[in-house]
Amino acid sequence: MRYLILSDIHANWEALEAVLRHASGSYDEIVCLGDLVGYGADPNRVVQWARAHLSAAVRGNHDKAAVGLADLEWFNPAAREAAEWTASVLTAENYWYLRGLPRGPLEVGDFQIMHGHPADEDEYLLTLMAPGDVLPWLTSATAFFGHTHYQGGFQIARESVSGLAARAESDERFSVRLHPRWKYLINPGSVGQPRDGDPRAAYAIYDVEAGVVELRRCAYPVEVAQARILRAGLPAVLAERLAVGV
Ligand code: ZN
């Protein structure tokens, strides 16, 4: 079984479409680690697609914000404005889909998916100091998380944690070969709003039988997504950041 692992799509239809084309032929099922909406101009199109194509998903903080499950006080002004706009345009079917998304961690096959930290979906997992910070919540050897919009993650070998040492095949992809006795927390990066300095859409392919996770990037028409954000009347900063990937 091969899974396409998506996270933080953020209503960016152009990025999602490009990823689906780029990944075509290399997966059997699709899972999403949260934040289908927020920031971008196409929440209905993205959620409509999610309802038809995802085999599993967890909710993100922006999904919660769009359906009244999160306190907008914690959002910066542009994020809050986008959340309020998203709430105002969502169709009833899409609203109820987002409202029903489960909190992670969620077990899917032999792995887990979650939005943020395994102990708290809203907490950012940017660094990992000690295995004990995450192990109590991990029921599988491999887990996927998002929320930070940084592609990468951590490997835990006995008592030591390290950043993922990946083998690059090209500028577009690098492979993580999973050691059978180690544990992994892997972030596929953000489809719709990368923040790791690379504006290309990010995603991952998990080949269960081969024991390999491939982290990938693909270019998409950023200027189309930007124009749609501006046309929707959303804050210009949300369009500008897409070009630089921060
Ligand atoms: Zn996000």
Side-chain angles (χ1 to χ4, degrees):
M1 181 70 96
R2 297 162 308 164
Y3 291 91
L4 170 57
I5 317 278
L6 305 179
S7 191
D8 298 281
I9 299 168
H10 284 292
N12 186 336
W13 176 256
E14 286 71 31
L16 175 60
E17 221 181 11
V19 161
L20 295 173
R21 210 172 315 125
H22 196 253
S24 160
S26 47
Y27 63 88
D28 306 297
E29 287 190 16
I30 313 175
V31 302
C32 180
L33 317 180
D35 280 359
L36 286 164
V37 303
Y39 298 132
D42 276 306
N44 282 313
R45 216 162 170 193
V46 168
V47 178
Q48 194 88 24
W49 171 86
R51 287 165 51 202
H53 297 282
L54 292 182
S55 37
V58 291
R59 66 189 189 180
N61 52 319
H62 288 262
D63 303 320
K64 291 196 290 180
V67 297
L69 291 174
D71 189 350
L72 291 180
E73 292 305 302
W74 295 97
F75 279 56
N76 67 52
R80 189 183 318 161
E81 203 177 321
E84 283 162 355
W85 177 83
T86 303
S88 74
V89 299
L90 276 180
T91 66
E93 291 84 354
N94 292 340
Y95 170 94
W96 287 111
Y97 174 82
L98 291 178
R99 181 107 192 176
L101 284 174
R103 170 204 302 263
L106 182 73
E107 290 180 12
V108 183
D110 77 332
F111 61 97
Q112 286 170 287
I113 61 174
M114 59 204 74
H115 188 59
H117 192 287
D120 177 353
E121 60 184 349
D122 293 334
E123 195 186 317
Y124 292 92
L125 188 54
L126 281 162
T127 55
L128 183 56
M129 302 310 281
D133 294 345
V134 291
L135 286 182
W137 295 274
L138 299 185
T139 57
S140 57
T142 307
F144 295 92
F145 71 100
H147 196 31
T148 63
H149 301 205
Y150 273 69
Q151 194 176 54
F154 311 96
Q155 59 190 21
I156 303 169
R158 296 210 179 91
E159 288 309 299
S160 73
V161 180
S162 54
L164 278 175
R167 192 169 55 83
E169 281 80 42
S170 72
D171 179 42
E172 281 194 344
R173 55 190 71 183
F174 57 87
S175 294
V176 180
R177 188 161 290 281
L178 305 176
H179 187 288
R181 282 190 297 278
W182 297 358
K183 292 202 177 228
Y184 293 86
L185 268 162
I186 299 176
N187 189 331
S190 168
V191 172
Q193 197 201 71
R195 291 179 195 161
D196 49 10
D198 184 341
R200 293 177 299 175
Y203 70 97
I205 300 285
Y206 175 29
D207 184 327
V208 178
E209 282 75 33
V212 172
V213 174
E214 195 171 71
L215 298 172
R216 296 186 181 179
R217 307 300 286 231
C218 87
Y220 74 96
V222 171
E223 52 317 320
V224 180
Q226 290 178 309
R228 294 185 53 75
I229 285 171
L230 296 175
R231 214 174 316 135
L234 288 161
V237 63
L238 299 179
E240 286 154 13
R241 65 188 305 178
L242 294 181
V244 279
V246 294

